[in-house]
Amino acid sequence: MPITVAHIPNLECEAFYFDMERRGIVMVPMEPNEVPGALQRGEVDAGPISLLDIDRLTAPVSTISGFCVASVTRAPACVLLSKAPIDELGGNAIAVNDPDPTALKLLQVLLTQKHGVNDTTFVGTDDEHDAVFLTGNRGLRGRRAVRGFPIRLDLGEDWVEWTGLPFVFSRWLVREGMERQDFLVLQDALFVGQEDWMNNLYKSTGPRNDLLMLPREVLEYVQGMRFFMGVPEDRAIEAFREKLTLLGDTSH
């Protein structure tokens, strides 16, 4: 049986998949919110799981080394665009479109605990709203501005400014019981993919029209990310969980 992994189509995950096809690893396209259920049901063997979803899994899983998606300086793919200054959003409506649950909680933490903004409501993008929250490739495409929403808040940058720590959005998990040889193949693919993908970026000359980004902008974005856990990332997860407790979130 081939190894199957959840394939997230966002730029911050591309490096992980760069070396998989040639190894015969099957990549199953899905959105971030679909990965926990797919792993739980055994539809995939591994994938990147949003940080807040990890503790909610009941199927036996384990991390693959220290692979993660973390922002070190900024996170242009996780932005809040607003009509009014961020500190004046209290009581207003924020439009969301199936966001990553960890990113959404980060937004709530930053608004309430850093900016003193309370009583915001989250609505659909077709409803009337005063701000819009974009994540993933949608966030990159709208990273500069959206007409009528001139104020921009990069959540990764805001978190780093506040805490001095990176922010961990997701970690790679694998189902327990995977054959040892398959695990080693997948682990090596993740290592090699990152290195080869970065090397390929330096050689890239064409724009990424799907993201409205030039090669230089893609490189700058990736240089602000980290894909492997270290001591700062462990501290960042601990700090985020403490702030979730202050938020009254007991689900983590």
Side-chain angles (χ1 to χ4, degrees):
M1 291 286 290
I3 302 167
T4 57
V5 301
H7 184 198
I8 306 301
N10 292 335
L11 178 60
E12 65 267 20
C13 290
E14 281 187 10
F16 295 122
Y17 304 109
F18 195 77
D19 192 49
M20 289 191 179
E21 186 175 358
R22 86 172 175 86
R23 296 174 184 255
I25 297 173
V26 176
M27 295 175 282
V28 183
M30 60 184 67
E31 292 299 316
N33 290 347
E34 298 175 307
V35 182
L39 190 61
Q40 189 95 12
R41 295 186 295 270
E43 295 168 2
V44 293
D45 296 313
I49 303 289
S50 180
L51 189 65
L52 286 189
D53 283 329
I54 293 175
D55 294 337
R56 299 168 185 165
L57 289 173
T58 57
V61 294
S62 57
T63 57
I64 307 176
S65 299
F67 293 105
C68 69
V69 174
S71 61
V72 181
T73 54
R74 55 197 182 95
C78 188
V79 295
L80 179 68
L81 303 174
S82 175
K83 295 178 181 178
I86 302 302
D87 294 348
E88 298 176 12
L89 276 178
N92 290 341
I94 300 174
V96 297
N97 187 353
D98 200 25
D100 172 274
T102 302
L104 187 58
K105 282 297 182 184
L106 173 61
L107 174 61
Q108 292 177 277
V109 164
L110 290 171
L111 286 178
T112 58
Q113 298 176 31
K114 183 174 188 282
H115 297 280
V117 173
N118 295 290
D119 301 322
T120 55
T121 56
F122 294 103
V123 300
T125 51
D126 292 332
D127 298 315
E128 218 175 291
H129 53 273
D130 310 287
V132 58
F133 183 45
L134 301 174
T135 59
N137 286 353
R138 291 190 195 98
L140 289 176
R141 286 190 290 269
R143 67 194 178 280
R144 291 196 180 92
V146 170
R147 187 182 296 276
F149 298 87
I151 308 298
R152 177 182 177 280
L153 181 71
D154 178 318
L155 269 62
E157 190 173 52
D158 205 39
W159 169 267
V160 172
E161 177 190 281
W162 187 32
T163 66
L165 294 167
F167 188 82
V168 180
F169 288 94
S170 63
R171 299 193 65 180
W172 267 80
L173 298 186
V174 61
R175 64 171 180 81
E176 287 191 7
M178 176 187 270
E179 293 290 335
R180 178 65 177 167
Q181 186 57 38
D182 286 344
F183 178 87
L184 294 175
V185 168
L186 177 57
Q187 180 177 254
D188 192 57
L190 292 169
F191 274 118
V192 173
Q194 289 182 62
E195 184 176 339
D196 288 355
W197 185 75
M198 282 296 292
N199 289 339
N200 190 63
L201 276 187
Y202 285 104
K203 301 172 186 175
S204 178
T205 56
R208 285 289 301 267
N209 293 327
D210 59 322
L211 301 172
L212 307 178
M213 297 176 78
L214 298 172
R216 170 183 53 81
E217 293 175 307
V218 174
L219 187 59
E220 289 174 355
Y221 168 69
V222 175
Q223 288 172 336
M225 305 296 292
R226 187 168 292 152
F227 301 109
F228 206 81
M229 293 287 295
V231 172
E233 286 71 34
D234 285 329
R235 289 176 54 207
I237 291 176
E238 183 179 346
F240 182 51
R241 285 179 168 156
E242 288 173 358
K243 295 183 186 304
L244 285 177
T245 302
L246 294 175
L247 192 66
D249 188 288
T250 58
S251 60
H252 61 283

